[in-house]
Amino acid sequence: MAQMGWVYLDNNGGRHRVGLYHGDDTGHLVIHCSMRVVQIDFSVKETTSYSFMIEDELCEVHLVKEPDGRFGYEFKINKSANTPRNQGRRKEAKRNRLFMGGLVLGMVALLAGVFV
């Protein structure tokens, strides 16, 4: 039986343990987070992925079947989905780009003024 574990640290300092059990012969799968079962699936024998929320963050566990028949496991945070958290990230990134653009323009104007 394959067992994997990850630790997700949220923005508030919270620590969440994400774990996975995947049966070698049966393919039965259990994903748990902070001692709570979040996904159960039976006979998982192909590449697939599962999504679940940890507070306001969309998390994904990917199972990838290798050419030799073994599985690889990966835990990711989905930062492209349209969630309230990701909308806030996009607004903040836009604000940062505008600030950096203004800063660069200001520096160019200052240097142009010095050389003129």
Side-chain angles (χ1 to χ4, degrees), residues 49-73:
S49 63
Y50 297 91
S51 301
F52 56 95
M53 298 293 286
I54 297 179
E55 296 192 12
D56 59 349
E57 194 75 75
L58 181 61
C59 303
E60 296 176 343
V61 172
H62 298 275
L63 284 72
V64 179
K65 187 173 184 179
E66 304 293 335
D68 63 359
R70 293 182 300 151
F71 279 88
Y73 306 97

Side-chain angles (χ1 to χ4, degrees), residues 54-105:
I54 297 179
E55 296 192 12
D56 59 349
E57 194 75 75
L58 181 61
C59 303
E60 296 176 343
V61 172
H62 298 275
L63 284 72
V64 179
K65 187 173 184 179
E66 304 293 335
D68 63 359
R70 293 182 300 151
F71 279 88
Y73 306 97
E74 184 177 25
F75 175 77
K76 286 185 174 181
I77 304 300
N78 186 331
K79 294 185 178 179
S80 62
N82 192 20
T83 63
R85 176 82 175 261
N86 290 339
Q87 290 171 356
R89 281 188 179 122
R90 284 191 281 276
K91 285 181 184 176
E92 185 174 338
K94 183 178 179 181
R95 186 173 50 239
N96 288 343
R97 282 192 304 272
L98 289 173
F99 176 76
M100 291 303 290
L103 188 63
V104 168
L105 285 175

Side-chain angles (χ1 to χ4, degrees), residues 9-10 16-17 25-26 29 31-32 35 39 42 50 58 64 71 74 81 84 87 93 98 100:
L9 301 173
D10 63 23
H16 305 275
R17 291 186 172 275
D25 299 328
T26 62
L29 174 84
I31 300 173
H32 60 87
M35 302 299 289
Q39 291 275 335
F42 301 100
Y50 297 91
L58 181 61
V64 179
F71 279 88
E74 184 177 25
Q87 290 171 356
L98 289 173
M100 291 303 290

